[in-house]
Amino acid sequence: MGSVLLLLFIGSICYLFWMQRKQDERAFLVARQLCQQQQLQLLDCGRNCHGFRNINGKLRFITEYKVDFSGDGESRYQAELLLSGMRLAAFNLPAYRIN
């Protein structure tokens, strides 16, 4: 019985790691698409934290990503990308300088 629980625990950890990697890849893809739509240069996208947030009146478990971008090729700005599962929950783009 103990070995079955240990195997189940290890399997769960591996599954959660695999899902987090999938979500990281999805975040990078979404960030790249959003930057292309806004005609911005994507510099970096990295996971910041997990937590619960109130989005559109609903409490959701989200993963927050920081997206570094440039509007003019010289300066660097940081946007916030929120994913709920594999879906885009919000993209908060600060004011930035353009050419």
Side-chain angles (χ1 to χ4, degrees), residues 3-99:
S3 61
V4 172
L5 289 177
L6 181 63
L7 188 59
L8 186 62
F9 178 73
I10 292 172
S12 297
I13 296 295
C14 291
Y15 176 75
L16 290 173
F17 177 78
W18 177 67
M19 288 304 291
Q20 186 62 65
R21 292 298 310 141
K22 260 182 96 168
Q23 189 179 42
D24 290 347
E25 292 170 6
R26 174 75 176 145
F28 185 79
L29 178 68
V30 168
R32 186 173 55 194
Q33 289 173 347
L34 291 170
C35 284
Q36 284 176 351
Q37 288 174 359
Q38 299 292 326
Q39 297 178 345
L40 300 172
Q41 179 184 6
L42 176 65
L43 301 175
D44 192 21
C45 179
R47 184 175 356 111
N48 189 32
C49 65
H50 298 285
F52 288 95
R53 286 239 185 129
N54 189 3
I55 298 179
N56 298 331
K58 295 181 182 177
L59 187 64
R60 296 179 186 242
F61 183 76
I62 60 100
T63 304
E64 178 183 326
Y65 292 87
K66 296 295 183 185
V67 178
D68 292 342
F69 68 93
S70 178
D72 60 2
E74 294 179 8
S75 42
R76 186 179 194 103
Y77 300 96
Q78 195 171 68
E80 181 183 64
L81 176 71
L82 302 177
L83 288 183
S84 177
M86 296 294 175
R87 293 181 159 200
L88 176 65
F91 184 61
N92 302 320
L93 192 65
Y96 57 91
R97 197 172 107 203
I98 58 175
N99 289 340

